[in-house]
Amino acid sequence: MNKPIGVIDSGVGGLTVARELMRQLPNESLIYLGDTVRCPYGPRPREEVTKFTFEMVDFLLQKEIKLLVIACNTATAFTLELLRENLTIPVIGVIEPGARAAISVTESKEIGVIGTIGTIESKAYPEALHHISKDLVIYDLACPQFVPLVERDQFSDEAAFDVVENGLLPLLGHQQLDTLILGCTHYPLLHEPIQKVMGNHVEIISSGEETAREVSAILSYQEMLNESETAEKHRFYTTGSKVVFEQIANRWLDQPIEHIEEIVIDQSLDDK
Amino acid sequence: MNKPIGVIDSGVGGLTVARELMRQLPNESLIYLGDTVRCPYGPRPREEVTKFTFEMVDFLLQKEIKLLVIACNTATAFTLELLRENLTIPVIGVIEPGARAAISVTESKEIGVIGTIGTIESKAYPEALHHISKDLVIYDLACPQFVPLVERDQFSDEAAFDVVENGLLPLLGHQQLDTLILGCTHYPLLHEPIQKVMGNHVEIISSGEETAREVSAILSYQEMLNESETAEKHRFYTTGSKVVFEQIANRWLDQPIEHIEEIVIDQSLDDK
């Protein structure tokens, strides 16, 4: 099916998912929408995140996407079920793939999850994990300092290490913990300091790779893979500055962005 | 949904998939059927493999399975599409998950595939790989000596190494090859000698783990995970000797088999 895959995120974090989709599904084309101007979603109440997410989805549905990826953990936690009920196309979130990957690698069955305040308070990860396997000990922790670091493009600064170390302190006492889920699509950019702080005995699970594999599985299972010889160009949209978005995207993705546009979704709902 | 997952294989090889299903989906129960008496399927013609596979499927459908896993590459290559057309439950083969995993790890885009004569001649792997990504170089190789080694329980003998080394010789010239798919569910038992012969720069992909993750994804996506507090016991059936099957199974699986039965499917079709 020669239609694009839609990807939404609160900002640039979902680009870690987009990169894996491009790598694992090179015949497919993407339409990415990052709500940069209202980012971060993490500290916002459920109702607001739901409203914003549905606005993004409406924009993508007009572009005739064949499958929707919610590449934002907070939006997944709050809206996945609602979207699945309301949309006729498949909807894939980032939480279940991350949970599944963690279950497949843990030996000790003690799993850590870090994410935004919204994601952690929603308890979406413990629910997804226990839904699949009841026999798990889960330590979850909100790290609200991490997203701003990444969106400000400061994730490789030396100061980033201190922020990460301070943020992860509460997890360091759990010596049986052998798997840590990065429950926010921004966090893979902080992979190096997170691995360093946690130690090499802890396997870091990034939902981007896992989500891309599940998208591939669902498209294939539903016989919706692109069968034509050529794929359309990927298109990127941001509610924020096109210049900043492009700058970050060109550094994160393995290929330069060819089509990028600034759009307005609904400024009246912007409470900043 | 409190119904079992059905797993079929030509013999004991599919136990590598069953083990991963048990590990990754501990709330689910399995019904496994190994057609040991007619194993191996690899050198048999397509019509015969199809007949045998449908006989196994009929047996499992009577047990009211909710999803079918074809844990045999030869049977997947020959019957997956046919089964999907004819069954109302989801049918998952082992080829697509292995292909997807290989695409997600290769850097050089040069991938090796080893399997039975039937699987290799069917070209099912190159097709599945190119279906997802056109830009790949694929080297496939039939290794008909490997399955008998495993079914005879001689996979850890020293002689096994020589058989593996001889079998893999044709692949060793491809220096850019960085990923090798074990396109037969028996081969993970030979993981150690295969890794040694190929070298540590080659990532070995075993379809068991990948298939289990896709089963988890599809069950979850279709809202078919077991929601009840308890799962039924796993049940194992073999068309061959229960004693030999149990002996191998108890060594491969992380838990002892509680229910095992010898059954007859259709001896008239047995041409041995």
Side-chain angles (χ1 to χ4, degrees), chain A residues 178 195-203:
Chain A
D178 69 354
Q195 184 78 68
K196 209 165 162 187
V197 170
M198 295 305 295
N200 281 332
H201 64 290
V202 174
E203 181 128 10

Side-chain angles (χ1 to χ4, degrees), chain B residues 10 35 37-38 51 53 62 64 72 86 95 107 155 166 173 192 200 224 240 248:
Chain B
S10 62
D35 195 6
V37 82
R38 301 190 288 202
K51 234 179 190 172
T53 305
Q62 287 164 29
E64 294 196 23
C72 168
N86 283 283
I95 291 180
E107 297 284 339
F155 51 87
N166 278 325
E192 212 179 298
N200 283 330
M224 288 167 69
I248 299 181

Side-chain angles (χ1 to χ4, degrees), chain A residues 2 17 23 30 43 50 66 93 106 146 154 157 162 171 178 181 199 206 210 236 246 248 260:
Chain A
N2 193 8
V17 182
R23 214 168 71 81
L30 304 185
T50 307
K66 64 180 172 186
T106 184
F146 290 8
Q154 297 173 337
D157 294 3
D162 295 335
L171 287 183
D178 69 354
I181 301 175
S206 144
E210 309 304 329
F236 293 85
E246 193 168 10
I248 299 181
I260 172 141

Side-chain angles (χ1 to χ4, degrees), chain A residues 102 105-113 135-139 170-181 198-203:
Chain A
V105 304
T106 184
E107 296 285 337
S108 67
K109 300 193 175 178
E110 300 202 6
I111 295 174
V113 183
D135 191 21
L136 296 169
V137 180
I138 298 158
Y139 305 101
L171 287 183
L172 298 182
H174 306 300
Q175 303 199 337
Q176 292 303 309
L177 187 157
D178 69 354
T179 308
L180 179 68
I181 301 175
M198 295 305 295
N200 281 332
H201 64 290
V202 174
E203 181 128 10

